[in-house]
Amino acid sequence: MNKLSQLIHDQQSAYGIIVTLKDPAVVEMLGFAGYDFAVIDMEHTTMDYGLVEHMIRAAQCVQVTSIVRTAPNDYAAMLRVLDAGADGIMVPHLTTREQAERIVGTAKYRPIGYRGLDGSSRAAHYGTIPFSQHIRRQNETVTVIGMIEDALAVTNINEIVSVPGLDLLFLGPADLASSLGYQDQFDHPAVMEAIEEVIAAARKANLGIGIPVFTPEEVDRYSRMGVNYFTVPPIDALLLSRALSSHLHDVKQKAGITV
């Protein structure tokens, strides 16, 4: 198992960040800071495959689990990042059982799935390990994560969590709130009810469940609800921009400059 999956298997919480800044050094910093996993974001950024591969290398250097978030239904991207050595994939807008089955099929080799074979990939150590060993290891260690962020996904949640090979779920409260008709109202009772329903279904199916949070209080709140892994804060760029703004504000205030 990779570190993220091992922590959840051991009933411990795991902490990571969604990485949008285009530098492998950011991933290294996460490891040195003590984070457990990095979600390398190809959904909302312009990262290319070469950069993502370097970020995966950086994660391996600091014992951080590398999860690549692809665009929705981009099955070619899922295969490429796994062949590049990613520890797992996170797929946005998972809404149906059939979609979950195809994602698992793309990520896992037979008999679990039908992933295309390549014994010369980086994940296969460029062909220096027995092919059977590579297949077994990938099926045992690759983590498949589906993002639940649509009203339809909540409706279908019991079917989704029943798919063999789907390892974890990750809630997207912003898109989920919007899909339910409550954009920018993440704490609306209807949104919280949907989140609680997803968490309950995941826990009943023995799947890990994650969510983005900002504060220790939110970690505590969702932990009590059954969530066991977190992106905290959710995104690296958001953390950096807020830290810079706060630091400059304090400097100017100390200097007597109106802010």
Side-chain angles (χ1 to χ4, degrees), residues 110-160:
R110 288 178 173 82
I112 302 172
Y114 45 81
R115 176 174 162 184
L117 298 170
D118 181 3
S120 65
S121 67
R122 182 173 182 275
H125 294 194
Y126 304 106
T128 60
I129 60 175
F131 197 35
S132 59
Q133 178 183 335
H134 165 63
I135 291 173
R136 183 176 62 254
R137 186 179 63 184
Q138 288 286 287
N139 278 351
E140 291 174 350
T141 63
V142 164
T143 299
V144 178
I145 306 173
M147 291 192 69
I148 304 299
E149 46 191 348
D150 299 274
L152 180 59
V154 179
T155 300
N156 294 331
I157 192 61
N158 289 318
E159 293 184 1
I160 290 171

mmCIF file of all heavy atoms in Angstrom, residues 110-160:
data_model
loop_
_atom_site.group_PDB
_atom_site.id
_atom_site.type_symbol
_atom_site.label_atom_id
_atom_site.label_comp_id
_atom_site.label_asym_id
_atom_site.label_seq_id
_atom_site.Cartn_x
_atom_site.Cartn_y
_atom_site.Cartn_z
ATOM 1 N N ARG A 110 -5.840 -6.762 -15.358
ATOM 2 C CA ARG A 110 -6.631 -7.971 -15.150
ATOM 3 C C ARG A 110 -6.030 -8.785 -14.011
ATOM 4 O O ARG A 110 -4.819 -8.765 -13.827
ATOM 5 C CB ARG A 110 -6.676 -8.809 -16.436
ATOM 6 C CG ARG A 110 -7.550 -8.175 -17.515
ATOM 7 C CD ARG A 110 -7.542 -8.994 -18.790
ATOM 8 N NE ARG A 110 -8.496 -8.471 -19.760
ATOM 9 C CZ ARG A 110 -8.265 -7.432 -20.579
ATOM 10 N NH1 ARG A 110 -7.087 -6.820 -20.536
ATOM 11 N NH2 ARG A 110 -9.202 -7.017 -21.406
ATOM 12 N N PRO A 111 -6.849 -9.426 -13.176
ATOM 13 C CA PRO A 111 -8.276 -9.680 -13.369
ATOM 14 C C PRO A 111 -9.197 -8.603 -12.813
ATOM 15 O O PRO A 111 -10.412 -8.717 -12.940
ATOM 16 C CB PRO A 111 -8.482 -10.990 -12.607
ATOM 17 C CG PRO A 111 -7.506 -10.888 -11.467
ATOM 18 C CD PRO A 111 -6.304 -10.193 -12.035
ATOM 19 N N ILE A 112 -8.637 -7.548 -12.202
ATOM 20 C CA ILE A 112 -9.491 -6.506 -11.618
ATOM 21 C C ILE A 112 -10.039 -5.597 -12.705
ATOM 22 O O ILE A 112 -11.231 -5.269 -12.717
ATOM 23 C CB ILE A 112 -8.703 -5.686 -10.574
ATOM 24 C CG1 ILE A 112 -8.175 -6.604 -9.474
ATOM 25 C CG2 ILE A 112 -9.573 -4.593 -9.978
ATOM 26 C CD1 ILE A 112 -7.220 -5.925 -8.510
ATOM 27 N N GLY A 113 -9.155 -5.149 -13.603
ATOM 28 C CA GLY A 113 -9.566 -4.241 -14.672
ATOM 29 C C GLY A 113 -9.032 -4.690 -16.006
ATOM 30 O O GLY A 113 -8.813 -5.889 -16.230
ATOM 31 N N TYR A 114 -8.787 -3.722 -16.881
ATOM 32 C CA TYR A 114 -8.291 -4.052 -18.229
ATOM 33 C C TYR A 114 -7.284 -3.005 -18.701
ATOM 34 O O TYR A 114 -7.217 -2.675 -19.875
ATOM 35 C CB TYR A 114 -9.468 -4.154 -19.212
ATOM 36 C CG TYR A 114 -10.488 -3.033 -19.079
ATOM 37 C CD1 TYR A 114 -10.274 -1.784 -19.654
ATOM 38 C CD2 TYR A 114 -11.657 -3.237 -18.365
ATOM 39 C CE1 TYR A 114 -11.195 -0.772 -19.518
ATOM 40 C CE2 TYR A 114 -12.594 -2.225 -18.222
ATOM 41 C CZ TYR A 114 -12.361 -0.991 -18.804
ATOM 42 O OH TYR A 114 -13.279 0.011 -18.655
ATOM 43 N N ARG A 115 -6.492 -2.509 -17.762
ATOM 44 C CA ARG A 115 -5.480 -1.495 -18.075
ATOM 45 C C ARG A 115 -4.531 -1.979 -19.170
ATOM 46 O O ARG A 115 -4.121 -3.145 -19.181
ATOM 47 C CB ARG A 115 -4.706 -1.160 -16.799
ATOM 48 C CG ARG A 115 -3.546 -0.185 -16.975
ATOM 49 C CD ARG A 115 -2.976 0.173 -15.619
ATOM 50 N NE ARG A 115 -1.639 0.743 -15.682
ATOM 51 C CZ ARG A 115 -0.916 1.062 -14.611
ATOM 52 N NH1 ARG A 115 -1.425 0.877 -13.400
ATOM 53 N NH2 ARG A 115 0.293 1.572 -14.744
ATOM 54 N N GLY A 116 -4.194 -1.081 -20.078
ATOM 55 C CA GLY A 116 -3.281 -1.426 -21.154
ATOM 56 C C GLY A 116 -1.904 -1.784 -20.637
ATOM 57 O O GLY A 116 -1.393 -1.167 -19.698
ATOM 58 N N LEU A 117 -1.280 -2.762 -21.243
ATOM 59 C CA LEU A 117 -0.016 -3.308 -20.764
ATOM 60 C C LEU A 117 1.184 -2.577 -21.358
ATOM 61 O O LEU A 117 1.236 -2.330 -22.564
ATOM 62 C CB LEU A 117 0.075 -4.788 -21.117
ATOM 63 C CG LEU A 117 -0.993 -5.695 -20.500
ATOM 64 C CD1 LEU A 117 -0.925 -7.081 -21.118
ATOM 65 C CD2 LEU A 117 -0.815 -5.776 -18.996
ATOM 66 N N ASP A 118 2.136 -2.228 -20.491
ATOM 67 C CA ASP A 118 3.408 -1.653 -20.936
ATOM 68 C C ASP A 118 4.466 -1.994 -19.896
ATOM 69 O O ASP A 118 4.480 -1.426 -18.811
ATOM 70 C CB ASP A 118 3.294 -0.134 -21.115
ATOM 71 C CG ASP A 118 4.599 0.490 -21.606
ATOM 72 O OD1 ASP A 118 5.565 -0.270 -21.858
ATOM 73 O OD2 ASP A 118 4.656 1.725 -21.730
ATOM 74 N N GLY A 119 5.339 -2.910 -20.242
ATOM 75 C CA GLY A 119 6.378 -3.330 -19.310
ATOM 76 C C GLY A 119 7.620 -2.471 -19.324
ATOM 77 O O GLY A 119 8.580 -2.745 -18.601
ATOM 78 N N SER A 120 7.609 -1.387 -20.142
ATOM 79 C CA SER A 120 8.789 -0.529 -20.226
ATOM 80 C C SER A 120 8.562 0.840 -19.594
ATOM 81 O O SER A 120 9.410 1.720 -19.698
ATOM 82 C CB SER A 120 9.183 -0.327 -21.697
ATOM 83 O OG SER A 120 8.175 0.393 -22.401
ATOM 84 N N SER A 121 7.429 1.033 -18.939
ATOM 85 C CA SER A 121 7.079 2.342 -18.377
ATOM 86 C C SER A 121 7.907 2.651 -17.129
ATOM 87 O O SER A 121 8.573 1.769 -16.565
ATOM 88 C CB SER A 121 5.599 2.375 -18.012
ATOM 89 O OG SER A 121 5.343 1.481 -16.929
ATOM 90 N N ARG A 122 7.836 3.887 -16.698
ATOM 91 C CA ARG A 122 8.521 4.267 -15.467
ATOM 92 C C ARG A 122 7.959 3.476 -14.288
ATOM 93 O O ARG A 122 8.702 3.059 -13.394
ATOM 94 C CB ARG A 122 8.372 5.762 -15.225
ATOM 95 C CG ARG A 122 9.099 6.237 -13.979
ATOM 96 C CD ARG A 122 9.112 7.747 -13.813
ATOM 97 N NE ARG A 122 9.871 8.072 -12.625
ATOM 98 C CZ ARG A 122 9.341 8.091 -11.393
ATOM 99 N NH1 ARG A 122 8.053 7.832 -11.222
ATOM 100 N NH2 ARG A 122 10.095 8.359 -10.346
ATOM 101 N N ALA A 123 6.640 3.277 -14.263
ATOM 102 C CA ALA A 123 6.019 2.515 -13.183
ATOM 103 C C ALA A 123 6.549 1.086 -13.133
ATOM 104 O O ALA A 123 6.617 0.471 -12.063
ATOM 105 C CB ALA A 123 4.507 2.504 -13.352
ATOM 106 N N ALA A 124 6.946 0.559 -14.293
ATOM 107 C CA ALA A 124 7.502 -0.795 -14.370
ATOM 108 C C ALA A 124 9.016 -0.800 -14.267
ATOM 109 O O ALA A 124 9.672 -1.784 -14.639
ATOM 110 C CB ALA A 124 7.077 -1.449 -15.684
ATOM 111 N N HIS A 125 9.580 0.315 -13.758
ATOM 112 C CA HIS A 125 11.040 0.448 -13.604
ATOM 113 C C HIS A 125 11.748 0.259 -14.940
ATOM 114 O O HIS A 125 12.819 -0.337 -15.003
ATOM 115 C CB HIS A 125 11.571 -0.526 -12.552
ATOM 116 C CG HIS A 125 11.094 -0.242 -11.172
ATOM 117 N ND1 HIS A 125 11.671 -0.819 -10.054
ATOM 118 C CD2 HIS A 125 10.098 0.552 -10.704
ATOM 119 C CE1 HIS A 125 11.046 -0.397 -8.967
ATOM 120 N NE2 HIS A 125 10.081 0.442 -9.336
ATOM 121 N N TYR A 126 11.090 0.752 -15.988
ATOM 122 C CA TYR A 126 11.660 0.712 -17.340
ATOM 123 C C TYR A 126 12.018 -0.709 -17.795
ATOM 124 O O TYR A 126 12.976 -0.920 -18.534
ATOM 125 C CB TYR A 126 12.881 1.632 -17.437
ATOM 126 C CG TYR A 126 12.575 3.057 -17.038
ATOM 127 C CD1 TYR A 126 13.014 3.560 -15.816
ATOM 128 C CD2 TYR A 126 11.835 3.897 -17.871
ATOM 129 C CE1 TYR A 126 12.724 4.865 -15.438
ATOM 130 C CE2 TYR A 126 11.539 5.200 -17.495
ATOM 131 C CZ TYR A 126 11.982 5.688 -16.279
ATOM 132 O OH TYR A 126 11.681 6.972 -15.887
ATOM 133 N N GLY A 127 11.236 -1.664 -17.324
ATOM 134 C CA GLY A 127 11.424 -3.037 -17.767
ATOM 135 C C GLY A 127 12.453 -3.830 -17.000
ATOM 136 O O GLY A 127 12.808 -4.946 -17.406
ATOM 137 N N THR A 128 12.920 -3.293 -15.870
ATOM 138 C CA THR A 128 13.978 -3.983 -15.117
ATOM 139 C C THR A 128 13.440 -4.908 -14.035
ATOM 140 O O THR A 128 14.215 -5.543 -13.323
ATOM 141 C CB THR A 128 14.928 -2.957 -14.472
ATOM 142 O OG1 THR A 128 14.183 -2.124 -13.572
ATOM 143 C CG2 THR A 128 15.604 -2.103 -15.543
ATOM 144 N N ILE A 129 12.115 -4.967 -13.886
ATOM 145 C CA ILE A 129 11.521 -5.911 -12.943
ATOM 146 C C ILE A 129 10.621 -6.863 -13.727
ATOM 147 O O ILE A 129 10.138 -6.513 -14.814
ATOM 148 C CB ILE A 129 10.711 -5.191 -11.836
ATOM 149 C CG1 ILE A 129 9.572 -4.368 -12.443
ATOM 150 C CG2 ILE A 129 11.622 -4.331 -10.976
ATOM 151 C CD1 ILE A 129 8.665 -3.739 -11.394
ATOM 152 N N PRO A 130 10.387 -8.059 -13.217
ATOM 153 C CA PRO A 130 9.505 -8.994 -13.919
ATOM 154 C C PRO A 130 8.128 -8.382 -14.151
ATOM 155 O O PRO A 130 7.577 -7.717 -13.261
ATOM 156 C CB PRO A 130 9.436 -10.193 -12.970
ATOM 157 C CG PRO A 130 10.695 -10.118 -12.168
ATOM 158 C CD PRO A 130 10.972 -8.652 -11.998
ATOM 159 N N PHE A 131 7.594 -8.608 -15.339
ATOM 160 C CA PHE A 131 6.315 -8.005 -15.693
ATOM 161 C C PHE A 131 5.202 -8.446 -14.743
ATOM 162 O O PHE A 131 4.344 -7.659 -14.353
ATOM 163 C CB PHE A 131 5.962 -8.370 -17.134
ATOM 164 C CG PHE A 131 4.897 -7.501 -17.729
ATOM 165 C CD1 PHE A 131 4.802 -6.158 -17.424
ATOM 166 C CD2 PHE A 131 3.967 -8.039 -18.613
ATOM 167 C CE1 PHE A 131 3.829 -5.347 -17.979
ATOM 168 C CE2 PHE A 131 2.978 -7.240 -19.177
ATOM 169 C CZ PHE A 131 2.909 -5.893 -18.856
ATOM 170 N N SER A 132 5.232 -9.704 -14.333
ATOM 171 C CA SER A 132 4.214 -10.207 -13.410
ATOM 172 C C SER A 132 4.282 -9.482 -12.070
ATOM 173 O O SER A 132 3.255 -9.214 -11.444
ATOM 174 C CB SER A 132 4.384 -11.713 -13.198
ATOM 175 O OG SER A 132 5.672 -12.007 -12.677
ATOM 176 N N GLN A 133 5.497 -9.137 -11.648
ATOM 177 C CA GLN A 133 5.673 -8.398 -10.396
ATOM 178 C C GLN A 133 5.097 -6.990 -10.530
ATOM 179 O O GLN A 133 4.440 -6.486 -9.606
ATOM 180 C CB GLN A 133 7.151 -8.324 -10.035
ATOM 181 C CG GLN A 133 7.442 -7.525 -8.772
ATOM 182 C CD GLN A 133 8.939 -7.419 -8.489
ATOM 183 O OE1 GLN A 133 9.724 -8.267 -8.921
ATOM 184 N NE2 GLN A 133 9.343 -6.371 -7.789
ATOM 185 N N HIS A 134 5.344 -6.357 -11.659
ATOM 186 C CA HIS A 134 4.807 -5.019 -11.912
ATOM 187 C C HIS A 134 3.277 -5.039 -11.867
ATOM 188 O O HIS A 134 2.653 -4.188 -11.212
ATOM 189 C CB HIS A 134 5.296 -4.517 -13.268
ATOM 190 C CG HIS A 134 4.538 -3.341 -13.795
ATOM 191 N ND1 HIS A 134 4.510 -2.123 -13.151
ATOM 192 C CD2 HIS A 134 3.777 -3.202 -14.914
ATOM 193 C CE1 HIS A 134 3.759 -1.276 -13.852
ATOM 194 N NE2 HIS A 134 3.304 -1.903 -14.909
ATOM 195 N N ILE A 135 2.670 -5.992 -12.549
ATOM 196 C CA ILE A 135 1.207 -6.076 -12.584
ATOM 197 C C ILE A 135 0.650 -6.290 -11.181
ATOM 198 O O ILE A 135 -0.300 -5.617 -10.761
ATOM 199 C CB ILE A 135 0.765 -7.215 -13.528
ATOM 200 C CG1 ILE A 135 1.091 -6.840 -14.975
ATOM 201 C CG2 ILE A 135 -0.726 -7.511 -13.360
ATOM 202 C CD1 ILE A 135 0.849 -7.957 -15.963
ATOM 203 N N ARG A 136 1.233 -7.197 -10.445
ATOM 204 C CA ARG A 136 0.757 -7.483 -9.087
ATOM 205 C C ARG A 136 0.899 -6.261 -8.194
ATOM 206 O O ARG A 136 -0.033 -5.901 -7.448
ATOM 207 C CB ARG A 136 1.536 -8.659 -8.505
ATOM 208 C CG ARG A 136 1.061 -9.077 -7.117
ATOM 209 C CD ARG A 136 1.790 -10.307 -6.612
ATOM 210 N NE ARG A 136 3.234 -10.072 -6.463
ATOM 211 C CZ ARG A 136 4.147 -10.560 -7.288
ATOM 212 N NH1 ARG A 136 3.789 -11.285 -8.343
ATOM 213 N NH2 ARG A 136 5.432 -10.310 -7.088
ATOM 214 N N ARG A 137 2.039 -5.596 -8.281
ATOM 215 C CA ARG A 137 2.276 -4.436 -7.427
ATOM 216 C C ARG A 137 1.325 -3.287 -7.750
ATOM 217 O O ARG A 137 0.791 -2.630 -6.845
ATOM 218 C CB ARG A 137 3.732 -3.962 -7.573
ATOM 219 C CG ARG A 137 4.111 -2.853 -6.601
ATOM 220 C CD ARG A 137 5.552 -2.447 -6.786
ATOM 221 N NE ARG A 137 5.783 -1.893 -8.115
ATOM 222 C CZ ARG A 137 6.972 -1.534 -8.569
ATOM 223 N NH1 ARG A 137 8.041 -1.706 -7.819
ATOM 224 N NH2 ARG A 137 7.108 -1.026 -9.779
ATOM 225 N N GLN A 138 1.093 -3.038 -9.039
ATOM 226 C CA GLN A 138 0.178 -1.968 -9.424
ATOM 227 C C GLN A 138 -1.245 -2.253 -8.939
ATOM 228 O O GLN A 138 -1.924 -1.368 -8.418
ATOM 229 C CB GLN A 138 0.192 -1.792 -10.941
ATOM 230 C CG GLN A 138 1.461 -1.161 -11.471
ATOM 231 C CD GLN A 138 1.555 0.320 -11.176
ATOM 232 O OE1 GLN A 138 0.872 1.135 -11.777
ATOM 233 N NE2 GLN A 138 2.407 0.676 -10.229
ATOM 234 N N ASN A 139 -1.686 -3.474 -9.090
ATOM 235 C CA ASN A 139 -3.033 -3.820 -8.632
ATOM 236 C C ASN A 139 -3.168 -3.718 -7.120
ATOM 237 O O ASN A 139 -4.252 -3.447 -6.597
ATOM 238 C CB ASN A 139 -3.417 -5.226 -9.097
ATOM 239 C CG ASN A 139 -3.920 -5.246 -10.525
ATOM 240 O OD1 ASN A 139 -4.141 -4.199 -11.134
ATOM 241 N ND2 ASN A 139 -4.115 -6.438 -11.063
ATOM 242 N N GLU A 140 -2.063 -3.933 -6.411
ATOM 243 C CA GLU A 140 -2.097 -3.875 -4.949
ATOM 244 C C GLU A 140 -1.940 -2.460 -4.404
ATOM 245 O O GLU A 140 -2.439 -2.162 -3.318
ATOM 246 C CB GLU A 140 -0.995 -4.771 -4.367
ATOM 247 C CG GLU A 140 -1.223 -6.255 -4.565
ATOM 248 C CD GLU A 140 -0.042 -7.083 -4.092
ATOM 249 O OE1 GLU A 140 1.026 -6.483 -3.783
ATOM 250 O OE2 GLU A 140 -0.165 -8.324 -4.052
ATOM 251 N N THR A 141 -1.242 -1.601 -5.142
ATOM 252 C CA THR A 141 -0.866 -0.302 -4.565
ATOM 253 C C THR A 141 -1.544 0.911 -5.178
ATOM 254 O O THR A 141 -1.634 1.955 -4.526
ATOM 255 C CB THR A 141 0.656 -0.095 -4.649
ATOM 256 O OG1 THR A 141 1.055 -0.056 -6.025
ATOM 257 C CG2 THR A 141 1.395 -1.219 -3.940
ATOM 258 N N VAL A 142 -1.985 0.839 -6.425
ATOM 259 C CA VAL A 142 -2.602 2.011 -7.052
ATOM 260 C C VAL A 142 -3.929 2.332 -6.366
ATOM 261 O O VAL A 142 -4.769 1.444 -6.165
ATOM 262 C CB VAL A 142 -2.833 1.781 -8.562
ATOM 263 C CG1 VAL A 142 -3.802 2.804 -9.136
ATOM 264 C CG2 VAL A 142 -1.505 1.850 -9.303
ATOM 265 N N THR A 143 -4.108 3.584 -5.999
ATOM 266 C CA THR A 143 -5.315 4.042 -5.315
ATOM 267 C C THR A 143 -6.227 4.765 -6.294
ATOM 268 O O THR A 143 -5.802 5.709 -6.968
ATOM 269 C CB THR A 143 -4.956 4.982 -4.150
ATOM 270 O OG1 THR A 143 -4.151 4.265 -3.204
ATOM 271 C CG2 THR A 143 -6.199 5.502 -3.455
ATOM 272 N N VAL A 144 -7.478 4.330 -6.356
ATOM 273 C CA VAL A 144 -8.469 4.933 -7.250
ATOM 274 C C VAL A 144 -9.453 5.736 -6.410
ATOM 275 O O VAL A 144 -10.133 5.203 -5.537
ATOM 276 C CB VAL A 144 -9.213 3.855 -8.056
ATOM 277 C CG1 VAL A 144 -10.272 4.498 -8.951
ATOM 278 C CG2 VAL A 144 -8.227 3.043 -8.894
ATOM 279 N N ILE A 145 -9.509 7.049 -6.709
ATOM 280 C CA ILE A 145 -10.355 7.968 -5.941
ATOM 281 C C ILE A 145 -11.380 8.609 -6.868
ATOM 282 O O ILE A 145 -11.030 9.154 -7.914
ATOM 283 C CB ILE A 145 -9.520 9.070 -5.274
ATOM 284 C CG1 ILE A 145 -8.395 8.469 -4.426
ATOM 285 C CG2 ILE A 145 -10.411 9.978 -4.424
ATOM 286 C CD1 ILE A 145 -7.431 9.506 -3.867
ATOM 287 N N GLY A 146 -12.636 8.571 -6.474
ATOM 288 C CA GLY A 146 -13.680 9.245 -7.218
ATOM 289 C C GLY A 146 -14.174 10.463 -6.453
ATOM 290 O O GLY A 146 -14.378 10.394 -5.236
ATOM 291 N N MET A 147 -14.330 11.580 -7.156
ATOM 292 C CA MET A 147 -14.827 12.798 -6.526
ATOM 293 C C MET A 147 -16.352 12.847 -6.612
ATOM 294 O O MET A 147 -16.935 12.698 -7.690
ATOM 295 C CB MET A 147 -14.223 14.044 -7.176
ATOM 296 C CG MET A 147 -12.745 14.217 -6.907
ATOM 297 S SD MET A 147 -12.144 15.859 -7.398
ATOM 298 C CE MET A 147 -12.959 16.904 -6.163
ATOM 299 N N ILE A 148 -16.977 13.076 -5.480
ATOM 300 C CA ILE A 148 -18.424 13.192 -5.403
ATOM 301 C C ILE A 148 -18.762 14.675 -5.258
ATOM 302 O O ILE A 148 -18.531 15.276 -4.211
ATOM 303 C CB ILE A 148 -18.982 12.383 -4.215
ATOM 304 C CG1 ILE A 148 -18.536 10.922 -4.322
ATOM 305 C CG2 ILE A 148 -20.502 12.505 -4.159
ATOM 306 C CD1 ILE A 148 -19.020 10.203 -5.562
ATOM 307 N N GLU A 149 -19.299 15.249 -6.320
ATOM 308 C CA GLU A 149 -19.550 16.691 -6.330
ATOM 309 C C GLU A 149 -20.753 17.067 -7.194
ATOM 310 O O GLU A 149 -20.840 18.196 -7.691
ATOM 311 C CB GLU A 149 -18.289 17.439 -6.807
ATOM 312 C CG GLU A 149 -17.625 16.847 -8.033
ATOM 313 C CD GLU A 149 -16.245 17.439 -8.307
ATOM 314 O OE1 GLU A 149 -15.889 18.468 -7.697
ATOM 315 O OE2 GLU A 149 -15.523 16.879 -9.154
ATOM 316 N N ASP A 150 -21.687 16.124 -7.348
ATOM 317 C CA ASP A 150 -22.882 16.357 -8.151
ATOM 318 C C ASP A 150 -24.094 15.745 -7.461
ATOM 319 O O ASP A 150 -23.980 14.703 -6.795
ATOM 320 C CB ASP A 150 -22.739 15.722 -9.537
ATOM 321 C CG ASP A 150 -21.572 16.293 -10.311
ATOM 322 O OD1 ASP A 150 -21.753 17.325 -10.974
ATOM 323 O OD2 ASP A 150 -20.475 15.709 -10.237
ATOM 324 N N ALA A 151 -25.257 16.366 -7.669
ATOM 325 C CA ALA A 151 -26.495 15.828 -7.103
ATOM 326 C C ALA A 151 -26.749 14.406 -7.587
ATOM 327 O O ALA A 151 -27.205 13.547 -6.822
ATOM 328 C CB ALA A 151 -27.667 16.744 -7.470
ATOM 329 N N LEU A 152 -26.441 14.140 -8.860
ATOM 330 C CA LEU A 152 -26.649 12.801 -9.407
ATOM 331 C C LEU A 152 -25.802 11.768 -8.684
ATOM 332 O O LEU A 152 -26.239 10.629 -8.462
ATOM 333 C CB LEU A 152 -26.335 12.796 -10.909
ATOM 334 C CG LEU A 152 -26.495 11.460 -11.637
ATOM 335 C CD1 LEU A 152 -27.924 10.948 -11.509
ATOM 336 C CD2 LEU A 152 -26.095 11.595 -13.102
ATOM 337 N N ALA A 153 -24.596 12.153 -8.305
ATOM 338 C CA ALA A 153 -23.718 11.228 -7.578
ATOM 339 C C ALA A 153 -24.314 10.859 -6.231
ATOM 340 O O ALA A 153 -24.216 9.706 -5.791
ATOM 341 C CB ALA A 153 -22.337 11.845 -7.399
ATOM 342 N N VAL A 154 -24.932 11.824 -5.561
ATOM 343 C CA VAL A 154 -25.564 11.547 -4.268
ATOM 344 C C VAL A 154 -26.716 10.564 -4.459
ATOM 345 O O VAL A 154 -26.892 9.621 -3.683
ATOM 346 C CB VAL A 154 -26.045 12.848 -3.604
ATOM 347 C CG1 VAL A 154 -26.723 12.544 -2.266
ATOM 348 C CG2 VAL A 154 -24.877 13.806 -3.398
ATOM 349 N N THR A 155 -27.493 10.772 -5.503
ATOM 350 C CA THR A 155 -28.600 9.862 -5.815
ATOM 351 C C THR A 155 -28.099 8.442 -6.045
ATOM 352 O O THR A 155 -28.726 7.465 -5.612
ATOM 353 C CB THR A 155 -29.358 10.346 -7.063
ATOM 354 O OG1 THR A 155 -29.883 11.653 -6.822
ATOM 355 C CG2 THR A 155 -30.491 9.401 -7.422
ATOM 356 N N ASN A 156 -26.936 8.329 -6.716
ATOM 357 C CA ASN A 156 -26.398 7.013 -7.090
ATOM 358 C C ASN A 156 -25.335 6.496 -6.132
ATOM 359 O O ASN A 156 -24.640 5.524 -6.452
ATOM 360 C CB ASN A 156 -25.790 7.097 -8.494
ATOM 361 C CG ASN A 156 -26.816 7.349 -9.568
ATOM 362 O OD1 ASN A 156 -27.979 6.962 -9.434
ATOM 363 N ND2 ASN A 156 -26.399 8.002 -10.653
ATOM 364 N N ILE A 157 -25.195 7.112 -4.972
ATOM 365 C CA ILE A 157 -24.025 6.843 -4.134
ATOM 366 C C ILE A 157 -23.920 5.379 -3.706
ATOM 367 O O ILE A 157 -22.819 4.809 -3.666
ATOM 368 C CB ILE A 157 -23.988 7.777 -2.896
ATOM 369 C CG1 ILE A 157 -22.629 7.695 -2.205
ATOM 370 C CG2 ILE A 157 -25.140 7.508 -1.948
ATOM 371 C CD1 ILE A 157 -21.467 8.115 -3.054
ATOM 372 N N ASN A 158 -25.024 4.718 -3.413
ATOM 373 C CA ASN A 158 -24.943 3.330 -2.964
ATOM 374 C C ASN A 158 -24.468 2.399 -4.081
ATOM 375 O O ASN A 158 -23.772 1.416 -3.817
ATOM 376 C CB ASN A 158 -26.296 2.873 -2.417
ATOM 377 C CG ASN A 158 -26.621 3.525 -1.085
ATOM 378 O OD1 ASN A 158 -25.758 3.658 -0.218
ATOM 379 N ND2 ASN A 158 -27.859 3.958 -0.913
ATOM 380 N N GLU A 159 -24.831 2.711 -5.316
ATOM 381 C CA GLU A 159 -24.339 1.930 -6.446
ATOM 382 C C GLU A 159 -22.855 2.205 -6.691
ATOM 383 O O GLU A 159 -22.087 1.290 -6.990
ATOM 384 C CB GLU A 159 -25.138 2.259 -7.703
ATOM 385 C CG GLU A 159 -26.588 1.813 -7.665
ATOM 386 C CD GLU A 159 -27.304 2.088 -8.970
ATOM 387 O OE1 GLU A 159 -26.652 2.601 -9.905
ATOM 388 O OE2 GLU A 159 -28.507 1.783 -9.061
ATOM 389 N N ILE A 160 -22.457 3.470 -6.548
ATOM 390 C CA ILE A 160 -21.060 3.842 -6.791
ATOM 391 C C ILE A 160 -20.126 3.139 -5.813
ATOM 392 O O ILE A 160 -19.105 2.570 -6.197
ATOM 393 C CB ILE A 160 -20.900 5.372 -6.708
ATOM 394 C CG1 ILE A 160 -21.582 6.050 -7.899
ATOM 395 C CG2 ILE A 160 -19.413 5.756 -6.656
ATOM 396 C CD1 ILE A 160 -21.671 7.558 -7.787
#
